[in-house]
Every structure is written in C-alpha cells, then in structure tokens.
Amino acid sequence: MSVLSALALARRPSAAFLTIGLFWGAWAAYVPEVKAGLGVSDGEFGVLLMGSAVGLVAAMWIAPRTDRRLGRLAMPVLATAFALAWTLPPLMGQPAAFALSLVVVGLMSGLLDVTMNARTSELEAAHARPLMNAAHGMFSVGYAVAALYAGAMRELGASAFLAQMGVALVVVLLLVPRMVQEPAQVEAPAAGRGRYPLVPILLCGGVVLSAFMTEAATESWSALLIERELGGRAAEGALGPFMLGLTMAVGRFGGQVVAERLREVPVVIGASALAATGALTAAWAGAPWVATLGFGLFGLGVSVIGPMGLALVGKLVPPHFRTEAISRAAVIGFSGFFFAPVIMGLVSQGAGLRWAFTAVAVLVASAIPLALLLGSRQGAASQSAA
C-alpha cells in the first residue's frame, strides 16, 4: 500500500514521469531501424545521439528560471512541448538534421525532467516521506509499455513517426491535464542564502551520473546487441528495452518500500553491484533470452540509483537551495547522456558491442565509492546534529 499511497501523493509529477518514459521507450525500440535509415557507422551514430545530450545539459541551466516563470503550468506546458519535439527526429533523413532535432528533444526533456523532480522533492518535504522512487517508477512503466508497443508497430511495418504520434496523442489528451501543480514557495533566510552546498551536489550528481549514463547507453544499444550480435528478430530486439523498463519499474516501486525502511546509501551500493552483474551477463550472453535476462538484472539494480541520488541532494541542502541543487545535480547526471553515446559508439566500433557493455558494468559500479563518501558525510552530519 505504501507504493499506491506514494503515487497518490505524487500523482501530478508522476504523470510527467510517465510521459517521458513513453517517448523514450518508443524511441529505444526503433533505434536499429533509425540507424539503418541514416546509413552511419556505430561511432557516427554515437556522435549524432549526442544531440539529445547537448539539449539536456543546456536545459539544466535554464530550468530553475523556466520553472519560476511558468509556475503551476510548468509541467503541462513543458510536457506538450516535449510531445511536439518528438515529431522531428523520425522525419530527419540527414545526419546533421537528425542531430539538431535531438537537441530540441533533449532541451524539452531536460526542462520537464528538472521541474518534475523538483515538484516531487517539494512533496517529499511537505509530507515528510520518500516519494522519488515511486514517481521514477512511472517513467519505467511508460518506458516498458512503449517499448513493447513500438516493437509491435515495427513488426507491422509502421514508421517511427507514426509510432511517436500515437504516443503524443495519449500524452496530450490524457496526461497533460493531470500535471497542473502549484510550486512550493520557499524564501531564503533573512540572513542570506548561506554557504553554497557544493559538496553534496557533486557527490549526489556523481551517483546520478553513474546511473543515467549507463541507463542511457543500455536504452539506446540494447536492441542492437540482441539483433546484431545474437541474431534476434525485431520483436526480440524490442524485448531488451522492454525488459529494462519493466525491471526498472519493479525496482523503483520496490525501492519506494525499501526507502521507507533503509537508508539510501546501503541501497545504492547493493543496487550498483546488481546492475554491474546484469550488464556483464548481457555483454557476454550466448542467446537473446540470456541478454534479455541480463538487461533485466541491470534494470532492477540501476533503477533506484538515480532517484535516490536526487532524493539525497534534496534532503542534504537547505530548502531554499532545493530546486537549484536538484537542477545542478541533474546537470551532472544528465551529462551522462552526453558521454554515453560517444563511449558506446567508439568502444563498439573499436572492440565490439560486448566490450561496450562491459564498460557499462564498470561505470555503474563507480557509484559504490561515491555512495560510501556520502555515507560518511551523512554520519558526520548526524553526529554534529546530536
């Protein structure tokens, strides 16, 4: 019942999380077809995918101001803009135009992402209970459903544009009207804003980076691994991102229950180890079903790392810094979307996709030492408070 009650409390930002998941899930299943249509190599495709990362990182810096300007309408306005942006990439047959269209998608995605995370953190503070994992779980639900839907659409011969338009209609008609939410009004103390919380932002941002970087790499390349390295069909390739989204949803909803009973740091450590194991399983699989299982284990582990990193930064900084701190930590985290396509493309072209996913395992395990540093910092803060 704790998951359902958390979703009820966070129902407005959860609709925004679901929106982002639907679009990126549908996109992931179409990556092999889009790449083939562009006629580029793995390395070149990785560089083109940086377009979305450029937009995402740019969005992080302007998101707090956009949030203040739009107020209660921030999530519905940004979600509508995000849906419209996704009509562009499927129509771009030239590599340069495709990359530019992804910049627009990344910008709109980033603006919505910071806003919905800030609203969730505000609700956590207002209700004094963790909500971030449940809200992020709705992203994973949308991602899994859309990946399965897009796989079926590919089998039927539908274009990526038609598939994304179907998602856009669902979002604009059913989800956008549910996103209106008043932002919390928090004034800075009369004595001033105080010392800027740089260290918590950097540490939490690093944890989020390890999760989002490897998640982005797996989202974009899992179908290619199954289809190209293991000879899977289009429907089997779509099972890679589908299983990733499904197990991430399970992990995040389970993480919601765990977050109410355990501290974040030990959970991040265990989740990082599980995600690394899953990435290695997928990397060296001998059959599509084994790779799908590996992606499932990876999704189960990586699912809670990013949400808990963002939840931690919201807790470790003063309330008047919360939106700005979440935005800055998200800048660090979403820069993973900048690096992941390049690393995956270059490693894949130079050594093969199997070694590229081995690199994913190493990267996600890097959250462990950062979590240990956060744990020691939390312990010191608790002792000083006592």
Side-chain angles (χ1 to χ4, degrees):
M1 291 300 292
S2 63
V3 174
L4 295 178
S5 62
L7 287 174
L9 290 173
R11 61 189 178 278
R12 300 185 192 284
S14 292
F17 278 97
L18 180 61
T19 292
I20 290 187
L22 286 170
F23 279 108
W24 285 110
W27 162 252
Y30 270 92
V31 163
E33 182 176 306
V34 171
K35 179 181 178 298
L38 291 169
V40 294
S41 68
D42 285 357
E44 291 168 335
F45 190 59
V47 172
L48 294 179
L49 291 178
M50 286 174 57
S52 64
V54 171
L56 280 166
V57 173
M60 301 302 114
W61 297 105
I62 63 175
R65 184 180 304 173
T66 303
D67 186 14
R68 289 193 296 270
R69 292 284 180 87
L70 295 175
R72 64 192 295 268
L73 297 178
M75 286 193 292
V77 168
L78 294 173
T80 302
F82 180 54
L84 292 175
W86 264 116
T87 63
L88 299 176
L91 298 176
M92 302 299 165
Q94 297 299 318
F98 174 74
L100 288 174
S101 72
L102 286 182
V103 173
V104 179
V105 168
L107 179 65
M108 295 300 105
S109 182
L111 290 174
L112 179 58
D113 198 285
V114 169
T115 303
M116 68 193 189
N117 275 292
R119 293 290 185 277
T120 305
S121 186
E122 291 166 4
L123 290 170
E124 285 189 322
H127 296 283
R129 62 172 297 187
L131 302 171
M132 198 68 78
N133 273 294
H136 277 257
M138 293 307 296
F139 166 88
S140 302
V141 168
Y143 187 91
V145 170
L148 200 60
Y149 150 78
M153 293 287 280
R154 280 186 67 195
E155 288 286 327
L156 294 172
S159 66
F161 175 78
L162 183 61
Q164 291 288 35
M165 283 302 297
V167 175
L169 286 174
V170 171
V171 166
V172 173
L173 295 178
L174 299 181
L175 297 179
V176 166
R178 302 173 183 271
M179 296 181 195
V180 178
Q181 180 179 329
E182 289 285 353
Q185 301 298 322
V186 180
E187 298 295 332
R193 280 160 56 93
R195 185 177 180 181
Y196 192 74
L198 180 61
V199 175
I201 290 173
L202 291 176
L203 290 177
C204 292
V207 170
V208 178
L209 172 64
S210 72
F212 286 176
M213 188 173 184
T214 53
E215 182 183 333
T218 306
E219 286 173 358
S220 297
W221 297 82
S222 56
L224 275 172
L225 176 72
I226 292 174
E227 292 181 31
R228 192 172 72 188
E229 299 292 329
L230 301 173
R233 294 170 49 245
E236 290 176 310
L239 282 177
F242 166 73
M243 182 61 73
L244 175 66
L246 178 64
T247 55
M248 286 182 68
V250 172
R252 283 171 175 168
F253 290 140
Q256 175 62 38
V257 178
V258 170
E260 297 185 7
R261 292 164 173 80
L262 299 176
R263 294 173 68 90
E264 291 90 350
V265 170
V267 177
V268 169
I269 292 172
S272 300
L274 179 61
T277 301
L280 286 174
T281 300
W284 300 102
W289 71 268
V290 178
T292 302
L293 175 62
F295 290 131
L297 292 174
F298 171 82
L300 197 62
V302 80
S303 61
V304 300
I305 301 173
M308 286 192 170
L310 292 172
L312 269 171
V313 76
K315 293 176 180 178
L316 292 174
V317 304
H320 59 280
F321 276 118
R322 186 178 295 121
T323 299
E324 185 177 344
I326 288 174
S327 177
R328 299 298 180 256
V331 168
I332 299 171
F334 277 106
S335 67
F337 287 91
F338 183 89
F339 296 115
V342 179
I343 292 174
M344 288 296 288
L346 292 177
V347 176
S348 175
Q349 186 162 329
L353 268 175
R354 293 186 183 275
W355 283 107
F357 276 100
T358 302
V360 166
V362 174
L363 288 170
V364 77
S366 68
I368 295 175
L370 294 173
L372 291 171
L373 288 173
L374 278 169
S376 63
R377 187 175 183 83
Q378 273 189 313
S382 299
Q383 288 181 354
S384 63

